[in-house]
Amino acid sequence: MAATISMLKGASNSPVGLARSEENVWIKRGLIIVTLLFLGFFLFLPLAAVFSAALEKGFGAYFASFDDPDALAAIKLTLIAAGIAVPLNLVFGLAAAWLIAKFNFAGKSVLLTLIDLPFAVSPVISGLIYVLLFGLQGWFGPWLAEHDIKIIFAVPGIVLATVFVTFPFVARELIPLMQEQGSDEEQAALVLGANGWQTFWRVTLPNVKWALLYGVILCNARAMGEFGAVSVVSGHIRGMTNTIPLHVEILYNEYNFVAAFAVASLLAILALLTLVAKSLVEWRARQELAAALEPTMIKD
Amino acid sequence: MKIVLKQASVIPGFGLTLGYTVFYLSLIVLLPISALFLKTATLGWGEFWSIVSNPRVVASYRLTFGASLVGALINAFFGFIVAWTLVRYSFPGKKIIDALVDLPFALPTAVSGIALTAIYSSNGWVGRYLEPLGIKAAYTPLGVTIALTFIGLPFVVRTLQPALEELDPATEEAARSLGASRMQTFLRVILPAVFPALLTGFALSFARALGEYGSVVFISGNMPMFTEITPLLIIAKLEQYDYAGATAIASVMLLASFAILLVINFLQWYSSHRYRTGV
Amino acid sequence: MSIEIRNINKTFGSFTALKDINLLVPSGELVALLGPSGCGKTTLLRIISGLEQPDPGNGAILFHDEDVASRSVADRKIGFVFQHYALFRHMSVFDNVAFGLTVKPRSQRPGKEEIRDQVMELLRLVQLESQANRFPSQLSGGQRQRVALARALAVKPKVLLLDEPFGALDAKVRQELRRWLRRLHDELHVTSVFVTHDQEEALEVSDQVVVMNAGQIEQVGPPAEVYDHPANPFVYQFLGNVNLFHGRIDGGEAKINHLDRSQSEQEVVAYVRPHDLDVSRERTSPDAIEAIVRYIHAAGGMPRLELERLDNGESIAAEVARERYRELELQVGDHLFVTPRNLRFFVEGAPLDYQI
């Protein structure tokens, strides 16, 4: 068999077809300018405003904002909440994606809708539902009070609200990918004598690792940045139940703008890192996909 | 015909994953949400109605729905241009711009809230130029609309991008070869093909705006009857320990969200099935 | 190891994929499951493998007289080559082939060196030693196919099952690979079953062909027998091009060249392959059918003629030897007499013991 590998790409592979390239250059420039202006106004300006306001009184004042036990306590609490919520939803995401991608069963589409449900719920309501369950007047309120367990206006409530709002992130990244990949490779592994866990660890997981990472990054960003839901269950006790976003709110409402924006800039940096990580992951995933699709270029 | 509950499969783990998924979903999502509806059900109909039809509450619906709708429309229009530009053209810095589109997803809402307020308040970067024109953005419904536009922006762009990328260039070339003008090609070939995606993006953006809290509370000023959004009203009720009031309003919001979720699901189903023939 | 299938049924919802299948695959043979898409051949293969379960009932699957129906895929000791190969895309060729060995329980797992030796030997067998460190995406279709085969063979299967093994390859590679598979099978002698919808492939490669249609087995036999003596019209039509003539039985004799159906006693259908038709400019037998040449496809080993019957306007496909074609100096529009050489009659689907 003559296996000559030709790396030549066909001309038709270019995304810019004939009809597209003939486009009027002024329309093109106009649309690019509108895009840049719109995004500049709506995206770049707010981002710049955060850093500008944070550094308004110089770097000294900026760094002094973090030299505050309440700020450090807020950072610590945010890390705890994200540290619990992300792994929980990661495990859930894997289980749900396996279930939905590998099996056909009655009620699958209902299940899919229910998994997406937390996205449709206002953050404020996400907090409220836990107050209704665990608050003093809630279902379990009296029982909890009797046993001296605090959930609402305490750390567990914050963790629960965070878990709720970040619930679908990993699952919804994995489900479409795993559905698309089908279960051919898993079947091949099983035929070759692998057991369920071996198949999962050695075949499925490596195939979805980028989507998984992507989901985790998004999940983490939301977990650290959640405001509305956490605000409802937190009780805003300084140094105790304030997360970073809540701490920002308190500082802002106290007209301590430099500190508010300094702490906010921390979250903005986190957001930018998230975008960078997300782009990197997308880039890697695209590369692997391109490599996987390349076979069409290789002739026997 | 017998109903097949589960098709047989050699892949292991059905029981385990089904059990865990349903358990976790019930614990984290279903139980708490049902608590909301059960709590609402304990209110009498008259009591419920008087809470949810109170003028201050109705004013908040009007603002929330109105500003969300306007925001979603702005996003549908500009989002289309942004998606188009990002898919079709190449220009310096495109990759960065593309990544930046997700900023409203990634930036914590409280941060967007104070940043937008700082920009649009009367001495802010933009606000100071608007004020001489007699336009007040911060602490008015306009400010609310700006915030809701900001947070809904990625939805339209991100749902449209793949739809535009998937368009087969050959169909456009075919339209052109049949004598259609560029405008005709756009209106009759491209737009119909991506319209479901546009509608989905619009609905997602609208749904997200309805429930938004963090980025709005700072810029709105929270004046009852004027710039008070519904989610804020729920928090206000909670802070007065008026659980019944908060719950009643929340259930109205939740039903609205579910309705939109249904519409979105239908749109996605429709756009993936409309050209499928046969079974 | 022989494979025996007894009374297997399979339904998907209201669709019957397999209906009371019985089949014996003798030890060491290479058997083709041949049929159009949707005929149930892949389902049957997957049931043999254990990837699919038959409907509950009294059916049985025996490997060397031992019922394996209750055994899981992993315990059936089979090799399975998937239609689209299902190679592990994140593993190198080497790791793909080694996978089946490395997932064995620790007590049965060969040592690292041993695995290495076995894998390299298999790669030599499929002529891919030099590609051991490549990833599936860097291989051509034919190379992937061979990796899939090596991977399946690594666990030393007693039975090798291949699902449309050459389906995704282009025509030329396909031909090379199937000859190679035949040689490989002659070397290894592992009982093999492969699924195909390509009759040429089935006839060329296999020891036995199992022709399937609509969930049932139509005929089983060696390629020559199935081709020359099709059991029914379906097999006739499925294996190669065929002309179909409607006729009737007249005085104990089947006739196909008369239009007059009024006095027909029994309708018959006759089948004849295009290369079993004689064409001439003069009537050579009373059975000859008059026809006009409509098209001539002269390219290829046997020029093909499309003819139109004068009596009823039906079209006939004929293949004539090159010399004969030159000799006749055929042109479109020519008037010809067509005489079938090897005609088989079927009455309501059942063969009639009558041949011209």
Side-chain angles (χ1 to χ4, degrees), chain A residues 153 230-232 234-238 241-242 246 249-250, chain B residues 239:
Chain A
F153 306 145
V230 171
S231 170
V232 172
S234 127
H236 305 274
I237 309 163
R238 275 185 164 227
T241 60
N242 269 350
L246 296 176
E249 184 197 20
I250 290 185
Chain B
E239 280 172 353

Side-chain angles (χ1 to χ4, degrees), chain A residues 15 17-20 22-24 27-28 31-32 34-36 38-39 41-50 52 88-89 91-92 95-96 98-99 102-106 111 113-115 117-118 120-125 128-133 135-140 153 160 163-164 167 183 186-187 190 196-197 221 225 227-228 231-232 245 248-249 252-253 260-261 264 267-268 271-272 274-275 278-279, chain B residues 4-7 9-14 16-18 20-22 24-25 27-36 38-39 74-75 78 81-82 84-85 88-91 97 99-104 106-111 114-120 125-126 139 146 149-150 153 158 164 167-169 172-173 176 182 211-214 217-218 231 234-235 238 241 243 246-247 250 253-254 257-258 261 265:
Chain A
L18 204 65
R20 292 178 176 185
E22 61 167 2
E23 190 158 330
N24 186 316
I27 294 179
K28 177 179 157 176
L31 290 177
I32 292 178
V34 170
T35 296
L36 292 179
F38 181 73
L39 295 185
F41 234 84
F42 268 94
L43 301 182
F44 184 72
L45 222 51
L47 199 58
V50 172
S52 157
L88 278 180
N89 288 331
V91 172
F92 164 73
W98 183 274
L99 176 69
K102 307 291 178 204
F103 303 104
N104 274 326
F105 54 94
L111 191 63
T113 310
L114 289 178
I115 289 173
L117 204 58
V121 175
S122 168
V124 170
I125 296 175
L128 170 68
I129 52 178
Y130 288 104
V131 174
L132 293 178
L133 274 186
L136 261 186
Q137 301 177 36
W139 282 2
F140 304 115
F153 306 145
L160 273 177
V163 170
F164 181 91
F167 183 85
S183 42
E186 282 78 9
Q187 290 184 8
L190 291 168
W197 283 112
F227 178 67
S231 170
V232 172
V248 170
E249 184 197 20
Y252 187 85
N253 287 342
F261 279 101
L267 291 172
L272 289 175
T274 300
L275 293 185
K278 186 171 169 287
S279 301
Chain B
V4 183
L5 283 179
K6 182 208 163 228
Q7 280 174 21
S9 166
V10 283
I11 307 277
F14 179 73
L16 179 70
T17 53
L18 179 71
Y20 184 69
T21 302
V22 170
Y24 189 72
L25 180 75
L27 198 68
I28 300 292
V29 179
L30 301 183
L31 179 73
I33 287 185
S34 56
L36 180 82
L38 288 174
K39 177 83 181 171
I74 295 173
N75 280 329
F78 284 100
I81 296 178
V82 172
W84 180 272
T85 310
R88 295 290 180 114
Y89 310 138
S90 57
F91 52 91
I97 300 275
L100 206 61
V101 167
D102 281 327
L103 186 71
L107 199 64
T109 53
V111 180
I114 62 172
L116 290 170
T117 313
I119 296 169
Y120 291 98
W125 289 350
V126 178
Y139 317 124
I146 291 171
T149 308
F150 173 81
L153 170 66
R158 290 298 183 232
L164 283 170
L167 280 184
D168 183 0
E172 276 167 63
E173 289 168 2
R176 297 288 282 146
R182 283 209 59 79
E212 181 54 22
Y213 171 72
V217 282
F218 297 99
I234 296 172
I235 290 208
L238 265 183
Y241 297 100
Y243 282 27
T247 311
M253 289 291 292
L254 207 52
S257 305
F258 287 172
L261 189 69
N265 275 358

Side-chain angles (χ1 to χ4, degrees), chain C residues 180-243:
Chain C
W180 177 80
L181 176 71
R182 181 68 239 187
R183 285 199 302 274
L184 188 77
H185 182 264
D186 292 342
E187 228 171 281
L188 300 173
H189 271 298
V190 53
T191 312
S192 307
V193 180
F194 77 101
V195 156
T196 181
H197 62 267
D198 182 340
Q199 23 109 356
E200 206 183 308
E201 192 168 291
L203 296 176
E204 186 179 319
V205 177
S206 62
D207 297 314
Q208 299 263 352
V209 181
V210 178
V211 185
M212 292 185 65
N213 181 38
Q216 284 173 303
I217 292 177
E218 299 282 351
Q219 190 174 3
V220 182
E225 183 192 309
V226 175
Y227 186 81
D228 292 333
H229 303 285
N232 55 41
F234 172 81
V235 179
Y236 223 125
Q237 280 178 310
F238 194 72
L239 293 178
N241 294 325
V242 72
N243 289 298

Side-chain angles (χ1 to χ4, degrees), chain C residues 344-355:
Chain C
R344 275 177 69 86
F345 292 89
F346 292 92
V347 178
E348 282 161 5
L352 193 67
D353 266 340
Y354 182 90
Q355 285 198 28

